[in-house]
Amino acid sequence: MFRIAGNAVTRPLSARVMQGAAGRYTRYPNKLHARGILTLKDHLYFSKATASGAGRNGNVTSTGDAPLDLKLAMPKVAGGKGDGQNPEQLFAMGYSACFLGALQLQGARAGKKEMTDKAKVHATVFLGHPMDPDLEGFGLRVELTVEGVPDDALIQAAHDFCPYSRALKHGIDVKITKA
């Protein structure tokens, strides 16, 4: 389940594939398992962002506690100028921070707080073409590397708890409306 390299533990999440708006599926050798959608009974916090301009070469702003305004740009390797951030960077930043928070919470609950205090979580988000020839466009693959925590059970507990991991594992409720 986990690959260990030196003092880092890697948990690849590369087997997940989004299959249209109808649901979430995970590919395992010779099997295709349907996934349900995780729904919320309430919400404790919400974040709001607005994209404008030329899409991936436009602008994105977030309002709230600490407003953020970023210029977006396609990476050079994807044919863009590379002079701004891209959604994959933002997703990697959010996922790594969220997973680290989940890891530290699970460490504290397990009486292993000192083990997770100096941990680092590295997220690599890959943008590419889906293996399924029937899916147009692009897909994502995520690899998380947990540094400084040798406890597989603790890492799994964080993966089970982290909202980003849950969204990728169980699906996410998405509603699209017109303004």
Side-chain angles (χ1 to χ4, degrees), residues 3 5 7-13 88-89 91-101 103 118-126 141-149 155 165:
R3 289 181 303 200
N7 65 347
V9 178
T10 303
R11 170 77 164 95
L13 302 176
E88 293 73 34
Q89 285 177 305
F91 188 82
M93 293 170 74
Y95 199 169
S96 62
C98 189
F99 196 94
L100 178 59
L103 183 66
K118 294 184 181 179
K120 292 183 182 179
V121 176
H122 309 274
T124 305
V125 176
F126 299 88
R141 184 179 88 219
V142 177
E143 292 180 5
L144 295 179
T145 303
V146 176
E147 182 180 335
V149 179
I155 293 168
S165 292

PDB file of all heavy atoms in Angstrom, residues 3 5 7-13 88-89 91-101 103 118-126 141-149 155 165:
ATOM      1  N   ARG A   3       4.800   2.955  -0.320  1.00  0.00           N
ATOM      2  CA  ARG A   3       6.183   2.733  -0.721  1.00  0.00           C
ATOM      3  C   ARG A   3       7.060   3.558   0.204  1.00  0.00           C
ATOM      4  O   ARG A   3       6.790   4.732   0.430  1.00  0.00           O
ATOM      5  CB  ARG A   3       6.409   3.184  -2.167  1.00  0.00           C
ATOM      6  CG  ARG A   3       5.740   2.293  -3.172  1.00  0.00           C
ATOM      7  CD  ARG A   3       6.030   2.777  -4.550  1.00  0.00           C
ATOM      8  NE  ARG A   3       5.572   4.163  -4.657  1.00  0.00           N
ATOM      9  CZ  ARG A   3       5.324   4.771  -5.788  1.00  0.00           C
ATOM     10  NH1 ARG A   3       5.492   4.148  -6.913  1.00  0.00           N
ATOM     11  NH2 ARG A   3       4.916   6.016  -5.824  1.00  0.00           N
ATOM     12  N   ALA A   5      10.766   5.108   0.950  1.00  0.00           N
ATOM     13  CA  ALA A   5      12.054   5.464   0.359  1.00  0.00           C
ATOM     14  C   ALA A   5      12.790   6.331   1.374  1.00  0.00           C
ATOM     15  O   ALA A   5      12.425   7.473   1.594  1.00  0.00           O
ATOM     16  CB  ALA A   5      11.862   6.225  -0.946  1.00  0.00           C
ATOM     17  N   ASN A   7      13.488   8.061   4.586  1.00  0.00           N
ATOM     18  CA  ASN A   7      12.581   8.404   5.672  1.00  0.00           C
ATOM     19  C   ASN A   7      11.245   8.932   5.148  1.00  0.00           C
ATOM     20  O   ASN A   7      10.462   9.499   5.873  1.00  0.00           O
ATOM     21  CB  ASN A   7      13.222   9.428   6.611  1.00  0.00           C
ATOM     22  CG  ASN A   7      13.459  10.750   5.924  1.00  0.00           C
ATOM     23  OD1 ASN A   7      13.372  10.861   4.710  1.00  0.00           O
ATOM     24  ND2 ASN A   7      13.788  11.763   6.707  1.00  0.00           N
ATOM     25  N   ALA A   8      10.983   8.748   3.840  1.00  0.00           N
ATOM     26  CA  ALA A   8       9.726   9.219   3.250  1.00  0.00           C
ATOM     27  C   ALA A   8       8.827   8.038   2.917  1.00  0.00           C
ATOM     28  O   ALA A   8       9.297   6.978   2.515  1.00  0.00           O
ATOM     29  CB  ALA A   8      10.017  10.008   1.981  1.00  0.00           C
ATOM     30  N   VAL A   9       7.546   8.212   3.115  1.00  0.00           N
ATOM     31  CA  VAL A   9       6.555   7.202   2.766  1.00  0.00           C
ATOM     32  C   VAL A   9       5.710   7.783   1.646  1.00  0.00           C
ATOM     33  O   VAL A   9       5.193   8.887   1.765  1.00  0.00           O
ATOM     34  CB  VAL A   9       5.672   6.840   3.973  1.00  0.00           C
ATOM     35  CG1 VAL A   9       4.629   5.825   3.571  1.00  0.00           C
ATOM     36  CG2 VAL A   9       6.522   6.321   5.118  1.00  0.00           C
ATOM     37  N   THR A  10       5.573   7.058   0.563  1.00  0.00           N
ATOM     38  CA  THR A  10       4.810   7.536  -0.581  1.00  0.00           C
ATOM     39  C   THR A  10       3.528   6.757  -0.702  1.00  0.00           C
ATOM     40  O   THR A  10       3.538   5.529  -0.651  1.00  0.00           O
ATOM     41  CB  THR A  10       5.642   7.372  -1.880  1.00  0.00           C
ATOM     42  OG1 THR A  10       6.852   8.074  -1.711  1.00  0.00           O
ATOM     43  CG2 THR A  10       4.897   7.926  -3.073  1.00  0.00           C
ATOM     44  N   ARG A  11       2.423   7.443  -0.874  1.00  0.00           N
ATOM     45  CA  ARG A  11       1.116   6.814  -1.067  1.00  0.00           C
ATOM     46  C   ARG A  11       0.581   7.305  -2.402  1.00  0.00           C
ATOM     47  O   ARG A  11      -0.012   8.370  -2.477  1.00  0.00           O
ATOM     48  CB  ARG A  11       0.175   7.215   0.064  1.00  0.00           C
ATOM     49  CG  ARG A  11      -1.278   6.820  -0.139  1.00  0.00           C
ATOM     50  CD  ARG A  11      -1.469   5.351   0.146  1.00  0.00           C
ATOM     51  NE  ARG A  11      -2.840   5.004   0.325  1.00  0.00           N
ATOM     52  CZ  ARG A  11      -3.616   4.528  -0.652  1.00  0.00           C
ATOM     53  NH1 ARG A  11      -3.156   4.393  -1.856  1.00  0.00           N
ATOM     54  NH2 ARG A  11      -4.857   4.193  -0.402  1.00  0.00           N
ATOM     55  N   PRO A  12       0.831   6.567  -3.485  1.00  0.00           N
ATOM     56  CA  PRO A  12       0.329   7.043  -4.775  1.00  0.00           C
ATOM     57  C   PRO A  12      -1.182   6.895  -4.853  1.00  0.00           C
ATOM     58  O   PRO A  12      -1.742   5.924  -4.387  1.00  0.00           O
ATOM     59  CB  PRO A  12       1.024   6.135  -5.779  1.00  0.00           C
ATOM     60  CG  PRO A  12       1.356   4.900  -5.019  1.00  0.00           C
ATOM     61  CD  PRO A  12       1.539   5.314  -3.583  1.00  0.00           C
ATOM     62  N   LEU A  13      -1.820   7.896  -5.406  1.00  0.00           N
ATOM     63  CA  LEU A  13      -3.262   7.872  -5.591  1.00  0.00           C
ATOM     64  C   LEU A  13      -3.563   7.822  -7.084  1.00  0.00           C
ATOM     65  O   LEU A  13      -4.563   8.321  -7.555  1.00  0.00           O
ATOM     66  CB  LEU A  13      -3.890   9.119  -4.971  1.00  0.00           C
ATOM     67  CG  LEU A  13      -3.610   9.313  -3.496  1.00  0.00           C
ATOM     68  CD1 LEU A  13      -4.187  10.624  -3.007  1.00  0.00           C
ATOM     69  CD2 LEU A  13      -4.179   8.167  -2.695  1.00  0.00           C
ATOM     70  N   GLU A  88      -3.145  23.233 -11.021  1.00  0.00           N
ATOM     71  CA  GLU A  88      -2.505  22.050 -10.442  1.00  0.00           C
ATOM     72  C   GLU A  88      -1.615  22.433  -9.264  1.00  0.00           C
ATOM     73  O   GLU A  88      -1.563  21.717  -8.261  1.00  0.00           O
ATOM     74  CB  GLU A  88      -1.715  21.288 -11.513  1.00  0.00           C
ATOM     75  CG  GLU A  88      -2.603  20.658 -12.570  1.00  0.00           C
ATOM     76  CD  GLU A  88      -3.223  21.653 -13.550  1.00  0.00           C
ATOM     77  OE1 GLU A  88      -2.572  22.670 -13.884  1.00  0.00           O
ATOM     78  OE2 GLU A  88      -4.371  21.422 -13.980  1.00  0.00           O
ATOM     79  N   GLN A  89      -0.914  23.553  -9.364  1.00  0.00           N
ATOM     80  CA  GLN A  89      -0.105  24.033  -8.237  1.00  0.00           C
ATOM     81  C   GLN A  89      -0.992  24.333  -7.038  1.00  0.00           C
ATOM     82  O   GLN A  89      -0.661  23.958  -5.903  1.00  0.00           O
ATOM     83  CB  GLN A  89       0.619  25.332  -8.604  1.00  0.00           C
ATOM     84  CG  GLN A  89       1.787  25.191  -9.515  1.00  0.00           C
ATOM     85  CD  GLN A  89       2.358  26.564  -9.851  1.00  0.00           C
ATOM     86  OE1 GLN A  89       1.633  27.438 -10.320  1.00  0.00           O
ATOM     87  NE2 GLN A  89       3.635  26.736  -9.602  1.00  0.00           N
ATOM     88  N   PHE A  91      -3.974  23.135  -6.370  1.00  0.00           N
ATOM     89  CA  PHE A  91      -4.518  21.891  -5.835  1.00  0.00           C
ATOM     90  C   PHE A  91      -3.471  21.169  -4.991  1.00  0.00           C
ATOM     91  O   PHE A  91      -3.762  20.691  -3.894  1.00  0.00           O
ATOM     92  CB  PHE A  91      -4.995  20.997  -6.987  1.00  0.00           C
ATOM     93  CG  PHE A  91      -5.738  19.779  -6.535  1.00  0.00           C
ATOM     94  CD1 PHE A  91      -7.074  19.851  -6.205  1.00  0.00           C
ATOM     95  CD2 PHE A  91      -5.099  18.556  -6.438  1.00  0.00           C
ATOM     96  CE1 PHE A  91      -7.771  18.724  -5.783  1.00  0.00           C
ATOM     97  CE2 PHE A  91      -5.778  17.426  -6.017  1.00  0.00           C
ATOM     98  CZ  PHE A  91      -7.119  17.508  -5.685  1.00  0.00           C
ATOM     99  N   ALA A  92      -2.229  21.104  -5.482  1.00  0.00           N
ATOM    100  CA  ALA A  92      -1.144  20.449  -4.740  1.00  0.00           C
ATOM    101  C   ALA A  92      -0.893  21.154  -3.409  1.00  0.00           C
ATOM    102  O   ALA A  92      -0.688  20.503  -2.380  1.00  0.00           O
ATOM    103  CB  ALA A  92       0.136  20.418  -5.579  1.00  0.00           C
ATOM    104  N   MET A  93      -0.931  22.473  -3.418  1.00  0.00           N
ATOM    105  CA  MET A  93      -0.726  23.228  -2.176  1.00  0.00           C
ATOM    106  C   MET A  93      -1.840  22.945  -1.179  1.00  0.00           C
ATOM    107  O   MET A  93      -1.580  22.704   0.002  1.00  0.00           O
ATOM    108  CB  MET A  93      -0.637  24.726  -2.484  1.00  0.00           C
ATOM    109  CG  MET A  93       0.606  25.113  -3.272  1.00  0.00           C
ATOM    110  SD  MET A  93       0.543  26.810  -3.872  1.00  0.00           S
ATOM    111  CE  MET A  93       0.842  27.707  -2.366  1.00  0.00           C
ATOM    112  N   GLY A  94      -3.080  22.978  -1.651  1.00  0.00           N
ATOM    113  CA  GLY A  94      -4.206  22.730  -0.769  1.00  0.00           C
ATOM    114  C   GLY A  94      -4.208  21.323  -0.212  1.00  0.00           C
ATOM    115  O   GLY A  94      -4.423  21.116   0.991  1.00  0.00           O
ATOM    116  N   TYR A  95      -3.943  20.343  -1.086  1.00  0.00           N
ATOM    117  CA  TYR A  95      -3.968  18.942  -0.653  1.00  0.00           C
ATOM    118  C   TYR A  95      -2.857  18.666   0.352  1.00  0.00           C
ATOM    119  O   TYR A  95      -3.078  18.047   1.396  1.00  0.00           O
ATOM    120  CB  TYR A  95      -3.854  18.027  -1.865  1.00  0.00           C
ATOM    121  CG  TYR A  95      -4.304  16.595  -1.646  1.00  0.00           C
ATOM    122  CD1 TYR A  95      -4.455  15.747  -2.734  1.00  0.00           C
ATOM    123  CD2 TYR A  95      -4.568  16.062  -0.396  1.00  0.00           C
ATOM    124  CE1 TYR A  95      -4.867  14.426  -2.573  1.00  0.00           C
ATOM    125  CE2 TYR A  95      -4.972  14.748  -0.220  1.00  0.00           C
ATOM    126  CZ  TYR A  95      -5.123  13.940  -1.317  1.00  0.00           C
ATOM    127  OH  TYR A  95      -5.520  12.633  -1.155  1.00  0.00           O
ATOM    128  N   SER A  96      -1.642  19.145   0.068  1.00  0.00           N
ATOM    129  CA  SER A  96      -0.533  18.865   0.994  1.00  0.00           C
ATOM    130  C   SER A  96      -0.776  19.505   2.358  1.00  0.00           C
ATOM    131  O   SER A  96      -0.522  18.893   3.394  1.00  0.00           O
ATOM    132  CB  SER A  96       0.808  19.307   0.402  1.00  0.00           C
ATOM    133  OG  SER A  96       0.835  20.700   0.165  1.00  0.00           O
ATOM    134  N   ALA A  97      -1.308  20.722   2.378  1.00  0.00           N
ATOM    135  CA  ALA A  97      -1.587  21.400   3.652  1.00  0.00           C
ATOM    136  C   ALA A  97      -2.704  20.695   4.416  1.00  0.00           C
ATOM    137  O   ALA A  97      -2.609  20.498   5.630  1.00  0.00           O
ATOM    138  CB  ALA A  97      -1.962  22.859   3.395  1.00  0.00           C
ATOM    139  N   CYS A  98      -3.749  20.305   3.707  1.00  0.00           N
ATOM    140  CA  CYS A  98      -4.866  19.627   4.347  1.00  0.00           C
ATOM    141  C   CYS A  98      -4.437  18.269   4.904  1.00  0.00           C
ATOM    142  O   CYS A  98      -4.786  17.911   6.021  1.00  0.00           O
ATOM    143  CB  CYS A  98      -6.000  19.463   3.340  1.00  0.00           C
ATOM    144  SG  CYS A  98      -7.533  18.873   4.068  1.00  0.00           S
ATOM    145  N   PHE A  99      -3.670  17.516   4.117  1.00  0.00           N
ATOM    146  CA  PHE A  99      -3.217  16.197   4.564  1.00  0.00           C
ATOM    147  C   PHE A  99      -2.296  16.331   5.779  1.00  0.00           C
ATOM    148  O   PHE A  99      -2.394  15.546   6.721  1.00  0.00           O
ATOM    149  CB  PHE A  99      -2.510  15.453   3.428  1.00  0.00           C
ATOM    150  CG  PHE A  99      -2.357  13.983   3.696  1.00  0.00           C
ATOM    151  CD1 PHE A  99      -3.304  13.081   3.221  1.00  0.00           C
ATOM    152  CD2 PHE A  99      -1.273  13.491   4.414  1.00  0.00           C
ATOM    153  CE1 PHE A  99      -3.176  11.720   3.468  1.00  0.00           C
ATOM    154  CE2 PHE A  99      -1.141  12.140   4.668  1.00  0.00           C
ATOM    155  CZ  PHE A  99      -2.087  11.246   4.193  1.00  0.00           C
ATOM    156  N   LEU A 100      -1.422  17.339   5.779  1.00  0.00           N
ATOM    157  CA  LEU A 100      -0.540  17.552   6.932  1.00  0.00           C
ATOM    158  C   LEU A 100      -1.367  17.854   8.180  1.00  0.00           C
ATOM    159  O   LEU A 100      -1.090  17.324   9.257  1.00  0.00           O
ATOM    160  CB  LEU A 100       0.450  18.684   6.672  1.00  0.00           C
ATOM    161  CG  LEU A 100       1.396  19.024   7.823  1.00  0.00           C
ATOM    162  CD1 LEU A 100       2.251  17.824   8.223  1.00  0.00           C
ATOM    163  CD2 LEU A 100       2.268  20.223   7.454  1.00  0.00           C
ATOM    164  N   GLY A 101      -2.396  18.677   8.042  1.00  0.00           N
ATOM    165  CA  GLY A 101      -3.271  18.962   9.168  1.00  0.00           C
ATOM    166  C   GLY A 101      -3.959  17.701   9.680  1.00  0.00           C
ATOM    167  O   GLY A 101      -4.055  17.479  10.890  1.00  0.00           O
ATOM    168  N   LEU A 103      -2.864  14.642   9.328  1.00  0.00           N
ATOM    169  CA  LEU A 103      -1.811  13.801   9.903  1.00  0.00           C
ATOM    170  C   LEU A 103      -1.477  14.254  11.322  1.00  0.00           C
ATOM    171  O   LEU A 103      -1.356  13.439  12.236  1.00  0.00           O
ATOM    172  CB  LEU A 103      -0.568  13.849   9.008  1.00  0.00           C
ATOM    173  CG  LEU A 103       0.610  12.990   9.413  1.00  0.00           C
ATOM    174  CD1 LEU A 103       0.266  11.507   9.305  1.00  0.00           C
ATOM    175  CD2 LEU A 103       1.812  13.314   8.515  1.00  0.00           C
ATOM    176  N   LYS A 118       7.050  17.702  13.087  1.00  0.00           N
ATOM    177  CA  LYS A 118       7.992  18.175  12.069  1.00  0.00           C
ATOM    178  C   LYS A 118       7.802  17.467  10.726  1.00  0.00           C
ATOM    179  O   LYS A 118       8.656  17.536   9.854  1.00  0.00           O
ATOM    180  CB  LYS A 118       9.428  18.001  12.561  1.00  0.00           C
ATOM    181  CG  LYS A 118       9.736  18.891  13.750  1.00  0.00           C
ATOM    182  CD  LYS A 118      11.165  18.789  14.173  1.00  0.00           C
ATOM    183  CE  LYS A 118      11.395  19.697  15.375  1.00  0.00           C
ATOM    184  NZ  LYS A 118      12.760  19.626  15.865  1.00  0.00           N
ATOM    185  N   ALA A 119       6.676  16.801  10.570  1.00  0.00           N
ATOM    186  CA  ALA A 119       6.391  16.088   9.321  1.00  0.00           C
ATOM    187  C   ALA A 119       6.221  17.073   8.174  1.00  0.00           C
ATOM    188  O   ALA A 119       5.897  18.243   8.373  1.00  0.00           O
ATOM    189  CB  ALA A 119       5.123  15.255   9.483  1.00  0.00           C
ATOM    190  N   LYS A 120       6.435  16.581   6.984  1.00  0.00           N
ATOM    191  CA  LYS A 120       6.176  17.341   5.762  1.00  0.00           C
ATOM    192  C   LYS A 120       5.384  16.445   4.829  1.00  0.00           C
ATOM    193  O   LYS A 120       5.590  15.230   4.789  1.00  0.00           O
ATOM    194  CB  LYS A 120       7.479  17.748   5.072  1.00  0.00           C
ATOM    195  CG  LYS A 120       8.283  18.768   5.837  1.00  0.00           C
ATOM    196  CD  LYS A 120       9.510  19.164   5.058  1.00  0.00           C
ATOM    197  CE  LYS A 120      10.342  20.166   5.847  1.00  0.00           C
ATOM    198  NZ  LYS A 120      11.559  20.542   5.108  1.00  0.00           N
ATOM    199  N   VAL A 121       4.474  17.059   4.087  1.00  0.00           N
ATOM    200  CA  VAL A 121       3.708  16.333   3.077  1.00  0.00           C
ATOM    201  C   VAL A 121       3.954  17.007   1.741  1.00  0.00           C
ATOM    202  O   VAL A 121       3.717  18.207   1.583  1.00  0.00           O
ATOM    203  CB  VAL A 121       2.196  16.315   3.404  1.00  0.00           C
ATOM    204  CG1 VAL A 121       1.419  15.641   2.287  1.00  0.00           C
ATOM    205  CG2 VAL A 121       1.947  15.613   4.736  1.00  0.00           C
ATOM    206  N   HIS A 122       4.455  16.236   0.811  1.00  0.00           N
ATOM    207  CA  HIS A 122       4.722  16.712  -0.539  1.00  0.00           C
ATOM    208  C   HIS A 122       3.622  16.173  -1.450  1.00  0.00           C
ATOM    209  O   HIS A 122       3.357  14.967  -1.446  1.00  0.00           O
ATOM    210  CB  HIS A 122       6.077  16.211  -1.039  1.00  0.00           C
ATOM    211  CG  HIS A 122       7.201  16.479  -0.076  1.00  0.00           C
ATOM    212  ND1 HIS A 122       7.891  17.667  -0.051  1.00  0.00           N
ATOM    213  CD2 HIS A 122       7.737  15.711   0.906  1.00  0.00           C
ATOM    214  CE1 HIS A 122       8.819  17.627   0.883  1.00  0.00           C
ATOM    215  NE2 HIS A 122       8.743  16.438   1.495  1.00  0.00           N
ATOM    216  N   ALA A 123       2.992  17.041  -2.206  1.00  0.00           N
ATOM    217  CA  ALA A 123       1.963  16.612  -3.153  1.00  0.00           C
ATOM    218  C   ALA A 123       2.455  16.906  -4.563  1.00  0.00           C
ATOM    219  O   ALA A 123       2.927  18.007  -4.848  1.00  0.00           O
ATOM    220  CB  ALA A 123       0.653  17.340  -2.897  1.00  0.00           C
ATOM    221  N   THR A 124       2.357  15.926  -5.421  1.00  0.00           N
ATOM    222  CA  THR A 124       2.665  16.098  -6.833  1.00  0.00           C
ATOM    223  C   THR A 124       1.379  15.837  -7.597  1.00  0.00           C
ATOM    224  O   THR A 124       0.761  14.784  -7.440  1.00  0.00           O
ATOM    225  CB  THR A 124       3.758  15.108  -7.286  1.00  0.00           C
ATOM    226  OG1 THR A 124       4.903  15.268  -6.438  1.00  0.00           O
ATOM    227  CG2 THR A 124       4.155  15.355  -8.724  1.00  0.00           C
ATOM    228  N   VAL A 125       0.953  16.821  -8.368  1.00  0.00           N
ATOM    229  CA  VAL A 125      -0.263  16.706  -9.162  1.00  0.00           C
ATOM    230  C   VAL A 125       0.135  16.664 -10.628  1.00  0.00           C
ATOM    231  O   VAL A 125       0.797  17.571 -11.125  1.00  0.00           O
ATOM    232  CB  VAL A 125      -1.228  17.882  -8.886  1.00  0.00           C
ATOM    233  CG1 VAL A 125      -2.446  17.813  -9.787  1.00  0.00           C
ATOM    234  CG2 VAL A 125      -1.642  17.886  -7.420  1.00  0.00           C
ATOM    235  N   PHE A 126      -0.243  15.592 -11.277  1.00  0.00           N
ATOM    236  CA  PHE A 126       0.070  15.388 -12.685  1.00  0.00           C
ATOM    237  C   PHE A 126      -1.161  15.696 -13.528  1.00  0.00           C
ATOM    238  O   PHE A 126      -2.256  15.231 -13.213  1.00  0.00           O
ATOM    239  CB  PHE A 126       0.480  13.933 -12.936  1.00  0.00           C
ATOM    240  CG  PHE A 126       1.704  13.505 -12.187  1.00  0.00           C
ATOM    241  CD1 PHE A 126       1.601  12.987 -10.907  1.00  0.00           C
ATOM    242  CD2 PHE A 126       2.961  13.620 -12.762  1.00  0.00           C
ATOM    243  CE1 PHE A 126       2.716  12.581 -10.208  1.00  0.00           C
ATOM    244  CE2 PHE A 126       4.089  13.220 -12.068  1.00  0.00           C
ATOM    245  CZ  PHE A 126       3.973  12.704 -10.786  1.00  0.00           C
ATOM    246  N   ARG A 141      -3.609  13.010 -11.733  1.00  0.00           N
ATOM    247  CA  ARG A 141      -3.090  11.948 -10.878  1.00  0.00           C
ATOM    248  C   ARG A 141      -2.357  12.654  -9.744  1.00  0.00           C
ATOM    249  O   ARG A 141      -1.672  13.659  -9.965  1.00  0.00           O
ATOM    250  CB  ARG A 141      -2.117  11.046 -11.646  1.00  0.00           C
ATOM    251  CG  ARG A 141      -1.631   9.877 -10.787  1.00  0.00           C
ATOM    252  CD  ARG A 141      -0.696   8.957 -11.541  1.00  0.00           C
ATOM    253  NE  ARG A 141       0.652   9.478 -11.391  1.00  0.00           N
ATOM    254  CZ  ARG A 141       1.555   9.482 -12.358  1.00  0.00           C
ATOM    255  NH1 ARG A 141       1.264   9.020 -13.552  1.00  0.00           N
ATOM    256  NH2 ARG A 141       2.759   9.961 -12.147  1.00  0.00           N
ATOM    257  N   VAL A 142      -2.519  12.154  -8.532  1.00  0.00           N
ATOM    258  CA  VAL A 142      -1.896  12.767  -7.361  1.00  0.00           C
ATOM    259  C   VAL A 142      -1.018  11.747  -6.672  1.00  0.00           C
ATOM    260  O   VAL A 142      -1.399  10.588  -6.511  1.00  0.00           O
ATOM    261  CB  VAL A 142      -2.967  13.280  -6.369  1.00  0.00           C
ATOM    262  CG1 VAL A 142      -2.318  13.842  -5.116  1.00  0.00           C
ATOM    263  CG2 VAL A 142      -3.860  14.324  -7.020  1.00  0.00           C
ATOM    264  N   GLU A 143       0.162  12.175  -6.270  1.00  0.00           N
ATOM    265  CA  GLU A 143       1.039  11.359  -5.432  1.00  0.00           C
ATOM    266  C   GLU A 143       1.398  12.182  -4.202  1.00  0.00           C
ATOM    267  O   GLU A 143       1.829  13.326  -4.326  1.00  0.00           O
ATOM    268  CB  GLU A 143       2.305  10.957  -6.184  1.00  0.00           C
ATOM    269  CG  GLU A 143       2.039   9.993  -7.310  1.00  0.00           C
ATOM    270  CD  GLU A 143       3.294   9.594  -8.073  1.00  0.00           C
ATOM    271  OE1 GLU A 143       4.407   9.992  -7.686  1.00  0.00           O
ATOM    272  OE2 GLU A 143       3.133   8.875  -9.059  1.00  0.00           O
ATOM    273  N   LEU A 144       1.170  11.606  -3.033  1.00  0.00           N
ATOM    274  CA  LEU A 144       1.546  12.245  -1.777  1.00  0.00           C
ATOM    275  C   LEU A 144       2.750  11.522  -1.200  1.00  0.00           C
ATOM    276  O   LEU A 144       2.786  10.289  -1.191  1.00  0.00           O
ATOM    277  CB  LEU A 144       0.407  12.164  -0.758  1.00  0.00           C
ATOM    278  CG  LEU A 144      -0.878  12.907  -1.093  1.00  0.00           C
ATOM    279  CD1 LEU A 144      -1.897  12.680   0.023  1.00  0.00           C
ATOM    280  CD2 LEU A 144      -0.631  14.376  -1.292  1.00  0.00           C
ATOM    281  N   THR A 145       3.705  12.276  -0.718  1.00  0.00           N
ATOM    282  CA  THR A 145       4.867  11.720  -0.033  1.00  0.00           C
ATOM    283  C   THR A 145       4.894  12.313   1.368  1.00  0.00           C
ATOM    284  O   THR A 145       4.915  13.536   1.522  1.00  0.00           O
ATOM    285  CB  THR A 145       6.178  12.055  -0.776  1.00  0.00           C
ATOM    286  OG1 THR A 145       6.092  11.571  -2.107  1.00  0.00           O
ATOM    287  CG2 THR A 145       7.380  11.428  -0.075  1.00  0.00           C
ATOM    288  N   VAL A 146       4.848  11.443   2.358  1.00  0.00           N
ATOM    289  CA  VAL A 146       4.869  11.871   3.753  1.00  0.00           C
ATOM    290  C   VAL A 146       6.291  11.686   4.263  1.00  0.00           C
ATOM    291  O   VAL A 146       6.822  10.580   4.258  1.00  0.00           O
ATOM    292  CB  VAL A 146       3.865  11.045   4.595  1.00  0.00           C
ATOM    293  CG1 VAL A 146       3.963  11.426   6.058  1.00  0.00           C
ATOM    294  CG2 VAL A 146       2.442  11.245   4.061  1.00  0.00           C
ATOM    295  N   GLU A 147       6.875  12.780   4.695  1.00  0.00           N
ATOM    296  CA  GLU A 147       8.263  12.775   5.165  1.00  0.00           C
ATOM    297  C   GLU A 147       8.291  12.890   6.686  1.00  0.00           C
ATOM    298  O   GLU A 147       7.601  13.729   7.264  1.00  0.00           O
ATOM    299  CB  GLU A 147       8.993  13.961   4.540  1.00  0.00           C
ATOM    300  CG  GLU A 147      10.450  14.069   4.875  1.00  0.00           C
ATOM    301  CD  GLU A 147      11.100  15.285   4.219  1.00  0.00           C
ATOM    302  OE1 GLU A 147      10.622  15.767   3.186  1.00  0.00           O
ATOM    303  OE2 GLU A 147      12.108  15.737   4.777  1.00  0.00           O
ATOM    304  N   GLY A 148       9.088  12.040   7.318  1.00  0.00           N
ATOM    305  CA  GLY A 148       9.304  12.139   8.758  1.00  0.00           C
ATOM    306  C   GLY A 148       8.342  11.344   9.620  1.00  0.00           C
ATOM    307  O   GLY A 148       8.408  11.435  10.844  1.00  0.00           O
ATOM    308  N   VAL A 149       7.436  10.579   9.020  1.00  0.00           N
ATOM    309  CA  VAL A 149       6.482   9.777   9.797  1.00  0.00           C
ATOM    310  C   VAL A 149       6.556   8.341   9.293  1.00  0.00           C
ATOM    311  O   VAL A 149       6.035   8.037   8.223  1.00  0.00           O
ATOM    312  CB  VAL A 149       5.035  10.314   9.670  1.00  0.00           C
ATOM    313  CG1 VAL A 149       4.069   9.447  10.461  1.00  0.00           C
ATOM    314  CG2 VAL A 149       4.963  11.759  10.137  1.00  0.00           C
ATOM    315  N   ILE A 155      -0.476   7.292   8.910  1.00  0.00           N
ATOM    316  CA  ILE A 155      -0.642   7.888   7.573  1.00  0.00           C
ATOM    317  C   ILE A 155      -1.985   7.467   6.981  1.00  0.00           C
ATOM    318  O   ILE A 155      -2.702   8.287   6.399  1.00  0.00           O
ATOM    319  CB  ILE A 155       0.526   7.497   6.656  1.00  0.00           C
ATOM    320  CG1 ILE A 155       1.819   8.136   7.170  1.00  0.00           C
ATOM    321  CG2 ILE A 155       0.258   7.908   5.212  1.00  0.00           C
ATOM    322  CD1 ILE A 155       3.077   7.609   6.521  1.00  0.00           C
ATOM    323  N   SER A 165      -8.556  13.827   0.495  1.00  0.00           N
ATOM    324  CA  SER A 165      -8.508  12.384   0.248  1.00  0.00           C
ATOM    325  C   SER A 165      -9.913  11.816   0.140  1.00  0.00           C
ATOM    326  O   SER A 165     -10.195  10.989  -0.732  1.00  0.00           O
ATOM    327  CB  SER A 165      -7.743  11.669   1.362  1.00  0.00           C
ATOM    328  OG  SER A 165      -6.378  12.007   1.338  1.00  0.00           O
TER     329      SER A 165
END
